[in-house]
Amino acid sequence: MPRSRPGAQTRDEILPADAPFPSGASASSPSSSGPNARARTAPPSADARLLAIAADHLRRLGHRQVTVVGVAAEAGMTHANVYRYFPSKTALVDAVAGRWLREVEAELGAIADAPDPADDKLERLLLALASMQREVLARDPHLFAVHRDATVESRPIARRHRGRLRQLVERVIEEGMNAGTFSLRDRERGLAFIFDTSHRFLHPVSIQLDAEVPRDLIEARLGAVIRAMLRILRIGTL
């Protein structure tokens, strides 16, 4: 069984809630050639190296076959040293999923920050959240499986993600109420209504169950639910 070291922190716990996960070098990054390249380019930290290796193992093998021993061996360290950064295998694979979830949250945050009307932003935000989950299910099913299991088991990575989603939706609702777009008697009831009505299309278990349903049909069904939701939010019956 994976061992846990008291006081160990996962990468997701080390980063602040709104911090983007550091990405790899891009084509626009400074050149790494030349005599001063080593001084300009810092080597990746140990935890970043472990996450990169774990992500590769997860993609190729699936989360049940990922082992701390295997990740440690490829990183050139002992498995006991891995536990200095991640207290268990679950914490390690959750941190890999957390990297993707922060990318999702950043994209949703850009929608929430856009200058569009609140009702348009709410529609785009919900459609984007559903779409990004379907895309990762098709592209990287093992990563999606970690996200799904973490959600079902209400692991810390999933609870933090839900909290951030709630903050984004609450911000859009507040903006809509201030602009007169939404008319709510009880904001908390309105937030619960949004998540209750969209649950069928946003929860990872439901998304996996609908994996074989044509995408255009899923989008049409979700679009109809969102249009009905927006009508209720506008007329002030909540």
Side-chain angles (χ1 to χ4, degrees), residues 203-218:
H203 195 283
V205 171
S206 296
I207 288 171
Q208 185 148 41
L209 288 172
D210 283 340
E212 302 304 319
V213 179
R215 180 167 182 157
D216 57 347
L217 179 57
I218 289 290

Side-chain angles (χ1 to χ4, degrees), residues 122-132 219 222-223 226:
L122 182 59
E123 179 177 14
R124 287 172 53 209
L125 192 151
L126 296 175
L127 289 171
L129 178 56
S131 177
M132 284 186 282
E219 290 178 347
L222 176 55
I226 292 174

Side-chain angles (χ1 to χ4, degrees), residues 50-68 70-71 74 89-100 136 139-149 155:
L50 290 170
L51 276 181
I53 294 167
D56 177 62
H57 286 205
L58 179 64
R59 187 177 304 108
R60 292 189 293 105
L61 306 173
H63 69 289
R64 299 192 188 283
Q65 300 302 317
V66 172
T67 66
V68 172
V71 171
E74 187 167 334
K89 187 186 96 167
T90 297
L92 178 59
V93 296
D94 278 1
V96 174
R99 173 171 59 183
W100 168 65
V136 82
R139 182 182 73 246
D140 196 343
H142 296 313
L143 175 62
F144 184 87
V146 175
H147 167 51
R148 179 202 63 214
D149 291 350
R155 297 203 298 253

Side-chain angles (χ1 to χ4, degrees), residues 65 85 131 154 158 232:
Q65 300 302 317
Y85 302 96
S131 177
S154 195
I232 297 296

Side-chain angles (χ1 to χ4, degrees), residues 11-24:
R11 181 71 176 174
D12 193 63
E13 289 166 341
I14 293 169
L15 290 173
D18 57 351
F21 194 89
S23 60

